């Protein structure tokens, strides 16, 4: 397998040392709009299977040419979701497989944004499902940690733990702190604003609906010493992916932002500073969200100052295989000290980067195969979860209190 | 008296209809960097005593030339405090008197910003006191509502109500709401950020010191139905002016921002979006604070959507003329419905605009006279407070509960 990895930001750079320990691929071409970033990512490992090129991810023709020139079988998209569509289309046109960790962006409903979805996350990709099937190529979408591992957990629960499922709720939280900053998000603020301020989407009784941002706050008690964190509904791919393959009455995604972060995001929205549209200020034109991102430290550079653990997981409630009410939380924890020591990557970035590598290994070995636009829950979860152990980063399961019968 | 009014923003424009009802001056030239703004302000009154010109307030030579060309006796500075020094220097050079409502800006102490002042508000102006005296010209500084009327109140209390003063605390609060906006400040956000996020200054026991922003929160009960509002220390001119002329053990300024506004300002600071220094974002250069201002509605245009009252006043605690502990709050309330109906100006802007006009009338009539850089408390308060009644906007006094002896 020859892979074109597009994006040498936090996650893309973290992919390199993870993949370098595996032997399932022949070559990975690391591409970035900044040659220096791609070169730095490759220089981090002493491995001739990696090379670096410059590439503009927004230029479909250029991406297609790179896929052909480097004879890549797979395009691995590790840039922000603004570039999903050109990359997705370039892979299809070049006859390559495709993997991403964030799907094509949504557009709110024009008149009822907080009641019903408009264009949903991934809609533009699923619209091309027929073309991918016809080309007999696989577009594995939403294959990071969340979405990604969270969807694998949902599939595992449906196949091996439950006879019927009432609710699947992805829950993400951490106790990470960053020394020396008043405020320093541990993940891309651009993406966090996008997913938190768009109307959250919920699957319920056979249809999707949306709510006001930050709806249904709950305190979720995270494992591994993280403890209780305030979580709220946000827009996330799992809610759009899981119901396509797994029957459940309700699917939600709640992000453990914590009170402070929720307050910051609400203020950005109140002041119109969340907008990604350019506005005129004096003689200059700038998107408020880009300015916010420019003022904050780059999360990928904060690993040395970070402490704590991050937890991604899927909580499932329903009837067990024996017909008895059951509630479980399937989860994956990364300790920042461990990921920094082992891989030189901070925990959130590392946790996002490991799962697509595992998935590509399963595809390379022919364990996961298919054609069309498919989510992680379209495949057998067991080989994935087993292989994750081999990557030194095991998942776990917590049996929750019995639900009221 | 011929006046060059520099700035046809909210306050400058509100000055025009107030002055138009008075006969103490011969002519007012309204100057603004945008010809259309100056022309619009003048067009609002049908009075040949007003004319409009274009002027760059940052260009000292241009301002000086305008003073001479239009034979103005007084420069009335109604632009934001970034332009205070060029205007102040231009007036001195042209042999004109000068009035402003906000003094030259401060610079925090380089190593101990939250413990001691660096360059204080007005320091650069007071440094030229000798030159103003020598020129026998008056620079009446800090002569809006706060600073301005608040300082007049302090002088009145010292002369007529107290034998000794323990504390003078300016307290500003409102119950104004703006229909149709999530968040819409009723006063310049640029200035609000400047005064609220700079280290607040406090006069105590014969010296100035600074604190962390938002220090010493207290709930002050405002009169006229406004009720209790959360107030915090902010940097304000009164604290620098009052102690120069009035003996008091302690002088503070607390702004009734309310919890929501305090939250917004804290978040702007946390994210570095308060900065007035330009930063690079993509190909553009922009000051975060300018972007914040550009995203919010212009407060001067919100009058029709505003409801409620704004209150400015001075709380004084000490021993009365009879030696008995006394506590009073001297205050001035403007109801937005009234100021919109009577003058077409929103309450906060109108309240800032009326007091410098009253002061100029006292100067024109020779009631207030002097040479040098002088604050409002350097003059007899009684004629000012009497004249305010004549302007249809009376002040009031509330006798507070007796302090513990």
């Amino acid at each position: 397998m020859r892979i074109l990895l597009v994006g040498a930001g936090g996650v893309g750079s973290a992919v390199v040392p993870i993949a370098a320990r595996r032997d399932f691929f022949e070559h990975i071409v690391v591409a970035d709009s900044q040659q220096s970033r791609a070169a730095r990512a490759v220089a981090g490992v002493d491995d001739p299977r990696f090379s670096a090129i410059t590439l503009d991810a927004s230029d479909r023709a250029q991406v297609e040419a790179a896929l052909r020139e480097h004879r890549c079988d797979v395009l691995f998209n590790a840039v922000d979701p603004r570039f999903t569509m050109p990359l997705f289309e370039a892979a299809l046109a070049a006859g390559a497989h495709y993997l991403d960790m964030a799907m094509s962006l949504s557009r709110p409903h024009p008149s009822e944004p907080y009641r019903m979805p408009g264009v949903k996350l991934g809609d533009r990709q699923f619209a091309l499902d027929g073309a991918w099937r016809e080309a007999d190529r696989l577009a594995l979408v939403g294959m990071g940690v969340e979405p990604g591992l969270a969807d694998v957990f949902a599939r595992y629960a449906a196949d091996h733990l439950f006879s019927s499922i009432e609710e699947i709720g992805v829950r993400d939280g951490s106790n990470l702190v960053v020394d020396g900053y008043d405020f320093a998000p541990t993940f891309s603020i651009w993406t966090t604003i996008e997913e938190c301020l768009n109307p959250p989407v919920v699957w319920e009784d056979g249809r999707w609906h949306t709510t006001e941002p930050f709806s249904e706050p709950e305190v979720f008690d995270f494992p591994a010493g993280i403890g209780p964190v305030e979580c709220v509904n946000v827009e996330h791919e799992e809610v759009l992916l899981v119901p396509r393959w797994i029957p459940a009455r309700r699917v939600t995604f709640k992000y453990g932002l914590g009170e402070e972060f929720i307050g910051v995001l609400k203020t950005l929205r109140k002041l119109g500073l969340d907008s990604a549209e350019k506005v005129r200020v004096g003689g200059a034109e700038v998107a408020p969200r880009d300015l916010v991102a420019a003022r904050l430290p780059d999360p990928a550079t904060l690993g040395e100052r970070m402490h704590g653990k991050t937890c991604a997981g899927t909580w499932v409630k329903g009837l067990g295989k024996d017909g008895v009410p059951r509630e479980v939380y399937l989860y994956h924890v990364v300790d920042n000290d461990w990921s920094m020591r082992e891989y030189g990557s901070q925990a959130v970035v590392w946790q996002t980067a490991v799962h697509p590598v595992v998935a590509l290994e399963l595809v390379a070995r022919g364990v996961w195969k298919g054609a069309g636009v498919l989510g992680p829950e379209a495949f057998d979860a067991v080989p994935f979860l087993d292989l994750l152990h081999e990557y030194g980063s095991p998942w776990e399961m917590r049996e929750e209190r019995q639900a009221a019968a």
Side-chain angles (χ1 to χ4, degrees), chain A:
Chain A
M1 178 183 271
R2 295 178 61 88
I3 301 166
L4 179 65
L5 168 61
V6 182
V11 176
S13 298
V15 160
V16 173
I18 297 170
R21 299 194 187 184
R22 310 298 301 178
D23 62 7
F24 68 88
F25 64 94
E26 183 194 326
H27 197 83
I28 295 182
V29 179
V30 181
D32 198 278
S33 59
Q34 297 171 45
Q35 167 69 24
S36 60
R37 289 216 303 186
R40 207 178 319 126
V42 168
V45 292
D46 182 20
D47 189 330
R49 294 180 302 161
F50 293 87
S51 59
I53 64 168
T54 309
L55 186 68
D56 176 356
S58 69
D59 182 342
R60 195 186 117 165
Q62 199 185 122
V63 175
E64 204 185 314
L67 282 165
R68 293 190 202 278
E69 183 191 339
H70 298 280
R71 295 173 292 110
C72 291
D73 316 289
V74 188
L75 190 162
F76 177 176
N77 168 4
V79 288
D80 84 50
R82 281 178 288 191
F83 303 105
T84 291
M85 285 313 292
L87 293 175
F88 182 76
E89 287 167 349
L92 178 62
H97 299 298
Y98 170 87
L99 178 147
D100 68 31
M101 298 169 287
M103 294 169 68
S104 61
L105 293 170
S106 66
R107 231 182 0 245
H109 189 278
S111 60
E112 302 272 10
Y114 303 123
R115 219 167 55 81
M116 55 180 97
V119 177
K120 300 188 299 302
L121 284 174
D123 274 359
R124 298 178 62 196
Q125 293 180 281
F126 280 114
L128 291 172
D129 179 46
W132 283 88
R133 283 173 194 267
E134 217 163 280
D136 195 28
R137 286 293 175 278
L138 169 64
L140 174 48
V141 294
M143 189 58 249
V145 57
E146 285 167 343
L149 176 63
D151 304 73
V152 171
F153 281 146
R155 172 65 189 262
Y156 180 80
D159 286 352
H160 302 284
L161 306 175
F162 289 83
S163 58
S164 79
I165 293 178
E166 159 69 16
E167 180 161 359
I168 294 175
V170 183
R171 298 292 182 267
D172 176 294
S174 85
N175 63 359
L176 292 166
V177 293
V178 182
D179 295 341
Y181 287 95
D182 262 5
F183 184 73
T186 55
F187 194 66
S188 158
I189 188 76
W190 201 100
T191 306
T192 305
I193 290 175
E194 180 73 19
E195 60 192 26
C196 293
L197 294 183
N198 277 345
V201 62
V202 170
W203 169 265
E204 198 162 31
D205 297 324
R207 63 176 199 96
W208 285 289
H209 69 87
T210 56
T211 73
E212 290 274 346
F214 311 112
S215 60
E216 298 181 24
E218 74 173 53
V219 174
F220 190 83
D221 190 17
F222 288 92
I226 294 171
V229 180
E230 171 122 356
C231 297
V232 290
N233 278 329
V234 308
E235 179 189 62
H236 231 256
E237 286 88 342
E238 294 89 321
V239 179
L240 286 317
L241 289 172
V242 165
R244 293 176 196 262
W245 285 278
I246 299 169
R249 197 187 70 77
R250 199 166 196 271
V251 181
T252 58
F253 181 99
K254 292 192 184 176
Y255 196 179
L257 289 164
E259 268 185 273
E260 184 189 23
F261 207 144
I262 291 172
V264 164
L265 291 170
K266 285 184 174 175
T267 299
L268 290 175
R269 187 161 80 124
K270 184 157 37 188
L271 303 184
L273 299 176
D274 57 313
S275 171
E277 304 288 324
K278 288 194 174 180
V279 296
R280 181 156 281 285
V281 185
E285 287 215 326
V286 62
R289 194 190 296 180
D290 291 340
L291 175 71
V292 171
R295 294 296 282 167
L296 292 171
D298 176 356
T301 65
L302 296 176
E304 297 288 352
R305 294 164 173 269
M306 277 168 60
H307 302 286
K309 295 172 179 171
T310 188
C311 177
T314 304
W315 162 84
V316 186
K317 179 183 170 179
L319 299 179
K321 289 291 181 195
D322 52 5
V324 175
R326 189 177 191 186
E327 225 181 291
V328 301
Y329 181 58
L330 303 160
Y331 65 92
H332 182 250
V333 170
V334 177
D335 183 324
N336 190 71
D337 292 344
W338 176 85
S339 65
M340 284 303 293
R341 195 173 59 238
E342 280 283 315
Y343 287 91
S345 302
Q346 57 103 310
V348 179
V349 151
W350 191 87
Q351 193 181 39
T352 307
V354 65
H355 304 292
V357 180
V358 172
L360 286 173
E361 177 157 353
L362 292 174
V363 172
R365 302 202 186 286
V367 181
W368 276 14
K369 53 189 166 198
V373 181
L374 298 173
E377 51 280 274
F379 301 90
D380 185 0
V382 173
F384 187 101
L385 296 173
D386 286 348
L387 190 50
L388 195 53
H389 271 273
E390 236 187 75
Y391 275 66
S393 187
W395 63 286
E396 298 182 65
M397 178 168 106
R398 181 174 73 184
E399 196 79 35
E400 309 286 89
R401 68 204 171 283
Q402 291 282 310

